[in-house]
């Protein structure tokens, strides 16, 4: 891949400067066409189930619903977001699935009341659901005994992971489900986020073994999410065609054994939305500390915590106010406004500060943090009492505000003071 450009003038056809004028900074901007393109990449699978937690804005959910994606939710309020965005609770193919390792009281009430398909990640979930809703169908999330992710913290399989039902306990859990009159109609595995082809291929093998153990009650299999995204030039990619072929062959072998159709689902979050997103910031200070040059911008890890959480790399570009995209580059450290030394966008795993080759820029110019559609805004916080940034969706050349900047009143709503 050619190196990603470090200068940017527009996003989805609209000048970045105009977006900043209209919506202020910091602001997240998403390109609808990119989300649709990524969904279309996966059309060979019977169903694409969007892992809502990657970017749960209602407008993004509506976009994906209209484009044909189903949805995977991991909390009670995520279920409510999916319902609010127009997903039906029930259907021949369940539009909404609840996947978790526990039920909190609210989530349990919701799935029971709305008859939402539950993908159980622990034996206790089977008991708790079975007590309230005997007779229903469930699916089981299996931990195949191995996992992989772009970071230890995004690895969701293996003995160190809290996720899923340990593969050796599958027979016990099938019995447990039977005792509650629950039928296990599907199996699911999700081993990590930002994984690679080799590990995804392993999932297919483990899935086939588990499905054969469970037997012909299995009518759907989900190979989870985890598809990687290219954040930097040398990041691994997955050959989607080859991956589909592998999954499809496994599915066909199961169909032959079971004598009925088995549907094949994929459940990406990152892959669908990461590349669509941009965080527009303004450079508010340019300063030297010893030999280091810092660009300090008005967004921090309160807006985009992936670098401080995982040492994640995001492409960064400068929006040259004079339109000159050939400015000389220099090594810079990009940081935010928070009173916390880890508030650095250019850092490596372990918190080590790194530099980035970026064009020379001055105070007042815009800086864009790219590939910021997945696990960015949704991981935002109010740390330092900074408001949640607005979100903007560009579709067919039109930029629409899909979340306004949080106000002071919204930020403090729900707090109360003792009487004077
Ligand atoms: C987070 C998650 C996903 C999506 O993972 P990506 O790496 O974003 O594709 C899929 N399924 C489940 C159950 C998840 O928790």
């Amino acid at each position: 891949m050619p190196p990603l450009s470090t200068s940017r003038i527009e996003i989805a056809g609209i000048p970045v400067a105009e977006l900043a004028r209209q919506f202020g900074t910091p602001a997240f901007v998403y390109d609808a066409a990119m989300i649709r393109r990524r969904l279309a990449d996966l059309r060979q699978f019977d169903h694409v189930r969007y892992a809502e937690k990657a970017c749960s804005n209602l407008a993004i959910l509506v976009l994906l619903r209209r484009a044909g994606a189903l949805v995977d939710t991991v909390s009670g309020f995520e279920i409510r977001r999916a319902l609010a965005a127009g997903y039906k609770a029930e259907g021949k193919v369940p539009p909404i699935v609840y996947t978790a390792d526990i039920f909190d009281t609210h989530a349990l009430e919701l799935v029971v009341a709305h008859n939402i398909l539950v993908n159980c990640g622990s034996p206790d979930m089977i008991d708790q659901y079975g007590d309230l809703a005997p007779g229903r169908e469930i699916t089981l999330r299996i931990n195949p005994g191995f996992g992989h992710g772009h970071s230890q913290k995004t690895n969701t399989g293996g003995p160190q992971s809290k996720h899923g039902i340990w593969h050796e306990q599958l027979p016990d859990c099938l019995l447990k489900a039977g005792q509650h009159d629950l039928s296990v109609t599907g199996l699911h595995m999700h081993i990590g986020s930002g994984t690679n082809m080799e590990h995804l291929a392993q999932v297919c093998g483990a899935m086939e073994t588990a499905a054969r153990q469970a037997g012909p009650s299995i009518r759907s299999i989900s190979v989870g999410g985890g598809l990687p995204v290219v954040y930097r030039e040398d990041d691994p990619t997955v050959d989607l065609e080859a991956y589909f072929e592998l999954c499809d062959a496994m599915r066909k072998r199961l169909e032959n054994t079971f004598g009925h159709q088995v549907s094949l689902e994929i459940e990406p979050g990152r892959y669908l939305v990461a590349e669509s997103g941009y965080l527009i910031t303004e450079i508010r200070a340019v300063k030297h500390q010893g030999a280091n040059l810092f660009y300090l911008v008005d967004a921090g890890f309160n807006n985009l915590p992936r670098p401080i959480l995982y040492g994640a790399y995001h492409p960064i570009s400068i929006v040259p106010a004079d339109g000159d995209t050939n400015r000389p580059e220099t090594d810079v450290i990009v940081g935010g406004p928070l009173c916390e030394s880890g508030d650095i966008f250019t850092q490596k795993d372990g918190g080590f500060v790194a530099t980035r080759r970026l064009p020379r820029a001055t105070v007042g110019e815009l800086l864009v943090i790219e590939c910021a559609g997945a696990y960015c805004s949704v991981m935002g916080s109010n740390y330092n009492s900074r408001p949640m940034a607005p979100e903007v969706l560009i579709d067919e050349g039109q930029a629409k505000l899909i979340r306004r900047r949080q106000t002071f009143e919204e930020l403090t709503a729900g707090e109360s003071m003792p009487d004077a």
Side-chain angles (χ1 to χ4, degrees), residues 307-338:
I308 195 170
L309 282 175
Y310 317 120
Y313 181 103
H314 282 266
I316 294 176
S317 57
I318 298 292
V319 184
D322 56 6
D324 176 8
T325 54
N326 285 311
R327 286 189 191 167
E329 293 192 344
T330 181
D331 289 328
V332 282
I333 297 167
V334 179
L338 301 179

Short mmCIF file of all heavy atoms in Angstrom, two decimals, residues 307-338:
data_model
loop_
_atom_site.label_atom_id
_atom_site.label_comp_id
_atom_site.label_asym_id
_atom_site.label_seq_id
_atom_site.Cartn_x
_atom_site.Cartn_y
_atom_site.Cartn_z
N PRO A 307 -5.46 5.24 21.50
CA PRO A 307 -4.01 5.29 21.72
C PRO A 307 -3.61 5.06 23.19
O PRO A 307 -2.69 4.29 23.48
CB PRO A 307 -3.62 6.70 21.26
CG PRO A 307 -4.68 7.04 20.24
CD PRO A 307 -5.95 6.43 20.79
N ILE A 308 -4.34 5.69 24.13
CA ILE A 308 -3.94 5.50 25.54
C ILE A 308 -4.31 4.10 26.03
O ILE A 308 -3.63 3.52 26.87
CB ILE A 308 -4.49 6.61 26.47
CG1 ILE A 308 -3.75 6.59 27.81
CG2 ILE A 308 -5.99 6.50 26.67
CD1 ILE A 308 -4.04 7.77 28.71
N LEU A 309 -5.37 3.51 25.46
CA LEU A 309 -5.77 2.17 25.90
C LEU A 309 -4.88 1.08 25.34
O LEU A 309 -4.51 0.13 26.03
CB LEU A 309 -7.21 1.87 25.44
CG LEU A 309 -8.35 2.50 26.23
CD1 LEU A 309 -9.68 2.19 25.56
CD2 LEU A 309 -8.36 1.98 27.66
N TYR A 310 -4.58 1.17 24.05
CA TYR A 310 -3.88 0.07 23.36
C TYR A 310 -2.59 0.49 22.68
O TYR A 310 -2.00 -0.32 21.97
CB TYR A 310 -4.77 -0.52 22.25
CG TYR A 310 -6.21 -0.73 22.57
CD1 TYR A 310 -7.21 -0.09 21.86
CD2 TYR A 310 -6.59 -1.63 23.58
CE1 TYR A 310 -8.55 -0.30 22.13
CE2 TYR A 310 -7.93 -1.84 23.86
CZ TYR A 310 -8.90 -1.18 23.14
OH TYR A 310 -10.22 -1.39 23.41
N GLY A 311 -2.20 1.76 22.81
CA GLY A 311 -1.08 2.23 21.99
C GLY A 311 -1.47 2.19 20.52
O GLY A 311 -0.62 2.04 19.64
N ALA A 312 -2.77 2.32 20.23
CA ALA A 312 -3.25 2.18 18.86
C ALA A 312 -2.73 3.32 17.98
O ALA A 312 -2.59 4.45 18.42
CB ALA A 312 -4.77 2.16 18.83
N TYR A 313 -2.48 2.97 16.74
CA TYR A 313 -2.00 3.93 15.74
C TYR A 313 -3.18 4.41 14.90
O TYR A 313 -3.94 3.61 14.36
CB TYR A 313 -0.98 3.23 14.85
CG TYR A 313 -0.36 4.10 13.77
CD1 TYR A 313 0.93 4.61 13.91
CD2 TYR A 313 -1.06 4.38 12.58
CE1 TYR A 313 1.51 5.38 12.92
CE2 TYR A 313 -0.48 5.16 11.59
CZ TYR A 313 0.79 5.66 11.76
OH TYR A 313 1.37 6.43 10.78
N HIS A 314 -3.34 5.72 14.79
CA HIS A 314 -4.31 6.29 13.86
C HIS A 314 -3.58 7.16 12.86
O HIS A 314 -2.70 7.93 13.26
CB HIS A 314 -5.34 7.16 14.59
CG HIS A 314 -6.41 6.37 15.29
ND1 HIS A 314 -7.62 6.08 14.71
CD2 HIS A 314 -6.43 5.78 16.51
CE1 HIS A 314 -8.33 5.35 15.55
NE2 HIS A 314 -7.64 5.15 16.65
N PRO A 315 -3.95 7.09 11.58
CA PRO A 315 -3.38 8.03 10.63
C PRO A 315 -3.77 9.45 11.05
O PRO A 315 -4.86 9.65 11.58
CB PRO A 315 -4.06 7.67 9.30
CG PRO A 315 -4.75 6.38 9.51
CD PRO A 315 -4.95 6.20 10.98
N ILE A 316 -2.86 10.39 10.83
CA ILE A 316 -3.13 11.80 11.18
C ILE A 316 -2.80 12.64 9.96
O ILE A 316 -1.79 12.38 9.27
CB ILE A 316 -2.29 12.23 12.39
CG1 ILE A 316 -2.71 11.45 13.65
CG2 ILE A 316 -2.41 13.75 12.64
CD1 ILE A 316 -1.88 11.74 14.89
N SER A 317 -3.63 13.64 9.68
CA SER A 317 -3.30 14.54 8.58
C SER A 317 -3.53 15.98 9.01
O SER A 317 -4.26 16.26 9.97
CB SER A 317 -4.16 14.21 7.34
OG SER A 317 -5.52 14.28 7.67
N ILE A 318 -2.87 16.87 8.30
CA ILE A 318 -2.98 18.31 8.54
C ILE A 318 -3.82 18.89 7.41
O ILE A 318 -3.73 18.44 6.26
CB ILE A 318 -1.56 18.95 8.51
CG1 ILE A 318 -0.69 18.39 9.63
CG2 ILE A 318 -1.64 20.48 8.56
CD1 ILE A 318 -1.12 18.76 11.03
N VAL A 319 -4.65 19.86 7.75
CA VAL A 319 -5.44 20.55 6.72
C VAL A 319 -4.77 21.91 6.49
O VAL A 319 -4.95 22.83 7.28
CB VAL A 319 -6.90 20.74 7.19
CG1 VAL A 319 -7.74 21.37 6.09
CG2 VAL A 319 -7.50 19.42 7.66
N PRO A 320 -3.94 22.03 5.45
CA PRO A 320 -3.19 23.28 5.25
C PRO A 320 -4.15 24.43 4.92
O PRO A 320 -4.91 24.34 3.95
CB PRO A 320 -2.26 22.96 4.09
CG PRO A 320 -2.88 21.80 3.38
CD PRO A 320 -3.69 21.04 4.39
N ALA A 321 -4.08 25.48 5.72
CA ALA A 321 -5.01 26.60 5.53
C ALA A 321 -4.80 27.26 4.17
O ALA A 321 -5.74 27.79 3.57
CB ALA A 321 -4.84 27.61 6.66
N ASP A 322 -3.54 27.20 3.66
CA ASP A 322 -3.25 27.83 2.38
C ASP A 322 -3.42 26.85 1.22
O ASP A 322 -3.12 27.17 0.07
CB ASP A 322 -1.82 28.38 2.39
CG ASP A 322 -0.79 27.31 2.72
OD1 ASP A 322 -1.18 26.11 2.84
OD2 ASP A 322 0.40 27.64 2.88
N GLY A 323 -3.88 25.64 1.50
CA GLY A 323 -4.11 24.66 0.44
C GLY A 323 -2.83 23.99 -0.06
O GLY A 323 -2.89 23.16 -0.97
N ASP A 324 -1.68 24.32 0.53
CA ASP A 324 -0.40 23.75 0.07
C ASP A 324 -0.22 22.35 0.66
O ASP A 324 0.12 22.20 1.83
CB ASP A 324 0.75 24.68 0.48
CG ASP A 324 2.11 24.08 0.12
OD1 ASP A 324 2.15 23.04 -0.57
OD2 ASP A 324 3.13 24.66 0.55
N THR A 325 -0.41 21.32 -0.17
CA THR A 325 -0.30 19.95 0.34
C THR A 325 1.12 19.40 0.19
O THR A 325 1.34 18.21 0.38
CB THR A 325 -1.29 19.02 -0.40
OG1 THR A 325 -1.07 19.15 -1.81
CG2 THR A 325 -2.73 19.39 -0.09
N ASN A 326 2.06 20.27 -0.14
CA ASN A 326 3.45 19.80 -0.28
C ASN A 326 4.39 20.45 0.72
O ASN A 326 5.57 20.64 0.44
CB ASN A 326 3.95 20.07 -1.71
CG ASN A 326 3.34 19.09 -2.68
OD1 ASN A 326 3.36 17.88 -2.44
ND2 ASN A 326 2.76 19.62 -3.75
N ARG A 327 3.88 20.81 1.85
CA ARG A 327 4.74 21.44 2.85
C ARG A 327 5.80 20.48 3.34
O ARG A 327 5.57 19.26 3.39
CB ARG A 327 3.89 21.84 4.07
CG ARG A 327 3.01 23.03 3.83
CD ARG A 327 2.43 23.44 5.16
NE ARG A 327 1.37 24.40 4.97
CZ ARG A 327 0.52 24.76 5.92
NH1 ARG A 327 0.59 24.19 7.12
NH2 ARG A 327 -0.40 25.65 5.68
N PRO A 328 6.95 20.99 3.76
CA PRO A 328 7.96 20.10 4.35
C PRO A 328 7.40 19.44 5.62
O PRO A 328 6.59 20.04 6.33
CB PRO A 328 9.13 21.04 4.67
CG PRO A 328 8.59 22.42 4.58
CD PRO A 328 7.39 22.39 3.70
N GLU A 329 7.87 18.22 5.86
CA GLU A 329 7.38 17.50 7.05
C GLU A 329 8.42 17.53 8.16
O GLU A 329 9.60 17.73 7.91
CB GLU A 329 7.05 16.05 6.67
CG GLU A 329 5.87 15.96 5.72
CD GLU A 329 5.34 14.54 5.56
OE1 GLU A 329 6.04 13.58 5.95
OE2 GLU A 329 4.20 14.41 5.07
N THR A 330 7.93 17.32 9.35
CA THR A 330 8.82 17.33 10.51
C THR A 330 8.29 16.31 11.53
O THR A 330 7.15 15.88 11.44
CB THR A 330 8.89 18.76 11.10
OG1 THR A 330 9.76 18.77 12.20
CG2 THR A 330 7.53 19.26 11.54
N ASP A 331 9.14 15.90 12.48
CA ASP A 331 8.70 14.93 13.50
C ASP A 331 7.94 15.67 14.59
O ASP A 331 8.50 16.57 15.21
CB ASP A 331 9.92 14.22 14.12
CG ASP A 331 10.55 13.25 13.14
OD1 ASP A 331 9.82 12.69 12.31
OD2 ASP A 331 11.78 13.07 13.20
N VAL A 332 6.72 15.25 14.84
CA VAL A 332 5.95 15.90 15.90
C VAL A 332 5.29 14.88 16.83
O VAL A 332 5.08 13.72 16.46
CB VAL A 332 4.83 16.83 15.36
CG1 VAL A 332 5.36 18.13 14.89
CG2 VAL A 332 4.00 16.15 14.31
N ILE A 333 4.97 15.34 18.01
CA ILE A 333 4.16 14.58 18.97
C ILE A 333 2.82 15.30 19.01
O ILE A 333 2.77 16.52 19.12
CB ILE A 333 4.83 14.58 20.36
CG1 ILE A 333 6.20 13.88 20.29
CG2 ILE A 333 3.93 13.92 21.40
CD1 ILE A 333 7.07 14.09 21.52
N VAL A 334 1.74 14.53 18.86
CA VAL A 334 0.42 15.16 18.87
C VAL A 334 -0.28 14.82 20.19
O VAL A 334 -0.40 13.65 20.56
CB VAL A 334 -0.44 14.66 17.68
CG1 VAL A 334 -1.83 15.29 17.71
CG2 VAL A 334 0.27 14.96 16.36
N GLY A 335 -0.68 15.86 20.91
CA GLY A 335 -1.32 15.66 22.21
C GLY A 335 -2.60 16.45 22.31
O GLY A 335 -2.93 17.28 21.45
N GLY A 336 -3.33 16.20 23.40
CA GLY A 336 -4.61 16.87 23.61
C GLY A 336 -4.56 17.81 24.79
O GLY A 336 -3.49 18.13 25.30
N PRO A 337 -5.74 18.24 25.26
CA PRO A 337 -5.84 19.27 26.28
C PRO A 337 -5.93 18.76 27.72
O PRO A 337 -5.97 19.58 28.64
CB PRO A 337 -7.16 19.96 25.91
CG PRO A 337 -8.00 18.84 25.39
CD PRO A 337 -7.05 17.86 24.73
N LEU A 338 -5.98 17.45 27.92
CA LEU A 338 -6.29 16.94 29.26
C LEU A 338 -5.11 17.09 30.22
O LEU A 338 -3.95 17.01 29.83
CB LEU A 338 -6.69 15.46 29.18
CG LEU A 338 -7.89 15.14 28.29
CD1 LEU A 338 -8.17 13.64 28.29
CD2 LEU A 338 -9.12 15.92 28.75
#
